[in-house]
Amino acid sequence: MCGTRVWARLAGLQRAVVERVWIGSEGELVVSARPVWRERDRCGICRRRSPGFDLGEGRRRWRALDLGTTLAFAEADAPRVSCRRHGVVVCAVPWARHRSRFTRAFEDQAAWLAVNTSKTAVAQLMRVAWRTVAAICERVADEATGEVDLLGGLRRIGIDEISHRKGHRYLTVVVCHDSGRLVWAAAGRDRRTIDAFLDALGEERCKQIELVSADMAAWVAGPISERRPQAELCLDPINVVMLATDALDEIRREVWNDARRAGDVAAATDLKGARYALWKNPENLTDRQKLKLADVQKTNQRLYRAYLLKEQLRQIYRLPAAAATGCSRRG
Ligand SMILES: [Zn+2]
């Protein structure tokens, strides 16, 4: 392998001819290159070969992956072509995505780090601003979604909301329960967001949806049951357990009221203090709360039974599906 090809390989320049390599004024490594013949004069958007238009803005640089600790750049002409579909566009280069100032290898690594490490780690390690990382992720994700149909073959999905910016903004996210993949996300948490998802899904793919798990929000259930009435709507386990916990608290209040009316001050005070002991998961109870619970077991059968029912329900979700179904039938 001759020297120039080694440099092309080191700088991650695919399908390129290296012309010259030098160290720039700030100690950076610069690899001057041009696309191989068959990659020239292609539209930056559709990559169709198109007639040349002009020389554009002259030489351009793309940041490449560091070579050791040295910053590295690819440098090349950036002429423009006149595409039949896209008009006058800067030519495509095989080593970078359109409109990017980074090589493909650099972007792929930054995107991988963004998924697998912290925000600060990726920005510091790659020596770029976080905003730049966000733009990189968008380009990498756009390309990837163009190749894979994330919404194809969905049968069992989960819809949920997550908050960001300290709870001031919301995203609606859709996951596929079969692949465990995030398949769709958009800003907002209202009917319109769900409608936008169903629109993206389209009528045909919508017909394949068999099951939708979500919380109890009407903004999810409404549009789903209108546009895919055959789909089974399921509650997320956390919501089911929450309902059971509410029911348990209702019993506690009833029992407490009974004790108060009967003039049993000691029992009423005890029950008031038992709220957290009944509400928390048993594995997280403090010693005092454990004693409290033991007290309830001794003195208040009705409340204790309600507590056990809530805990059994919680356990069902921890079992493998087959065992859990058996449990719920017996229950
Ligand atoms: Zn084009």
Side-chain angles (χ1 to χ4, degrees):
M1 207 183 258
C2 66
T4 52
R5 285 173 71 187
V6 173
W7 281 114
R9 175 75 64 93
L10 284 175
L13 304 180
Q14 303 97 334
R15 302 191 294 284
V17 179
V18 170
E19 297 160 332
R20 207 157 71 85
V21 183
W22 73 93
I23 299 291
S25 55
E26 286 167 33
E28 78 278 22
L29 181 98
V30 185
V31 179
S32 162
R34 62 172 190 269
V36 293
W37 177 248
R38 62 174 186 284
E39 295 288 342
R40 268 174 239 170
D41 298 330
R42 290 185 181 275
C43 164
I45 300 168
C46 65
R47 301 211 165 231
R48 187 183 288 132
R49 191 160 267 232
S50 310
F53 184 78
D54 65 5
L55 293 176
E57 289 172 18
R59 302 288 284 174
R60 255 183 83 183
R61 276 190 181 188
W62 291 260
R63 172 98 184 270
L65 283 172
D66 294 352
L67 283 170
T69 54
T70 308
L71 284 182
F73 292 87
E75 196 187 276
D77 288 332
R80 297 193 294 176
V81 287
S82 169
C83 171
R84 251 191 301 159
R85 255 183 76 198
H86 300 104
V88 176
V89 183
V90 177
C91 279
V93 287
W95 56 81
R97 295 180 174 91
H98 189 52
R99 290 183 182 282
S100 173
R101 292 181 294 110
F102 303 91
T103 64
R104 194 170 273 279
F106 185 99
E107 291 197 325
D108 290 350
Q109 180 168 317
W112 187 89
L113 284 166
V115 172
N116 291 286
T117 66
S118 74
K119 191 168 155 174
T120 337
V122 48
Q124 285 184 5
L125 185 68
M126 303 301 285
R127 295 191 261 184
V128 287
W130 172 247
R131 284 173 70 101
T132 312
V133 177
I136 288 176
C137 288
E138 234 167 78
R139 274 192 296 272
V140 174
D142 275 354
E143 190 181 81
T145 45
E147 286 163 7
V148 190
D149 179 13
L150 282 173
L151 300 180
L154 291 180
R155 288 190 309 116
R156 308 189 301 164
I157 57 169
I159 301 180
D160 205 355
E161 62 189 52
I162 50 169
S163 67
H164 63 118
R165 303 239 163 164
K166 295 185 178 143
H168 290 302
R169 293 203 193 157
Y170 287 88
L171 281 178
T172 296
V173 294
V174 182
V175 295
C176 166
H177 286 310
D178 294 300
S179 67
R181 247 188 198 167
L182 173 75
V183 293
W184 192 87
R189 52 156 180 176
D190 50 18
R191 271 189 86 97
R192 272 202 317 227
T193 326
I194 301 297
D195 276 329
F197 165 67
L198 293 170
D199 289 344
L201 201 58
E203 212 171 301
E204 278 310 305
R205 289 186 297 200
C206 198
K207 277 186 200 153
Q208 295 168 357
I209 302 286
E210 295 166 10
L211 182 156
V212 179
S213 74
D215 64 12
M216 290 176 286
W219 58 272
V220 178
I224 296 283
S225 49
E226 277 162 30
R227 291 170 68 173
R228 177 64 186 148
Q230 295 85 349
E232 204 163 332
L233 272 167
C234 311
L235 278 183
D236 285 336
I238 189 166
N239 294 112
V240 178
V241 173
M242 221 147 66
L243 286 173
T245 310
D246 288 349
L248 171 65
D249 205 47
E250 221 167 278
I251 302 281
R252 186 191 61 84
R253 252 177 289 136
E254 275 176 29
V255 172
W256 172 64
N257 273 325
D258 288 349
R260 226 169 32 128
R261 270 189 226 112
D264 191 345
V265 182
T269 318
D270 265 2
L271 283 166
K272 204 160 188 200
R275 184 160 182 241
Y276 282 100
L278 293 163
W279 177 69
K280 266 167 93 172
N281 297 339
E283 59 273 21
N284 301 332
L285 289 177
T286 63
D287 286 343
R288 248 189 93 197
Q289 287 165 338
K290 279 183 199 154
L291 282 175
K292 197 113 228 176
L293 201 59
D295 241 15
V296 171
Q297 183 181 10
K298 250 190 291 169
T299 59
N300 207 311
Q301 281 304 311
R302 185 168 169 236
L303 183 58
Y304 193 68
R305 181 169 150 70
Y307 169 77
L308 289 181
L309 285 172
K310 185 264 289 184
E311 277 309 309
Q312 276 170 9
L313 180 68
R314 214 166 61 83
Q315 289 304 322
I316 286 176
Y317 285 109
R318 302 193 156 183
L319 295 172
T325 322
C327 260
S328 59
R329 278 201 198 109
R330 275 203 304 277

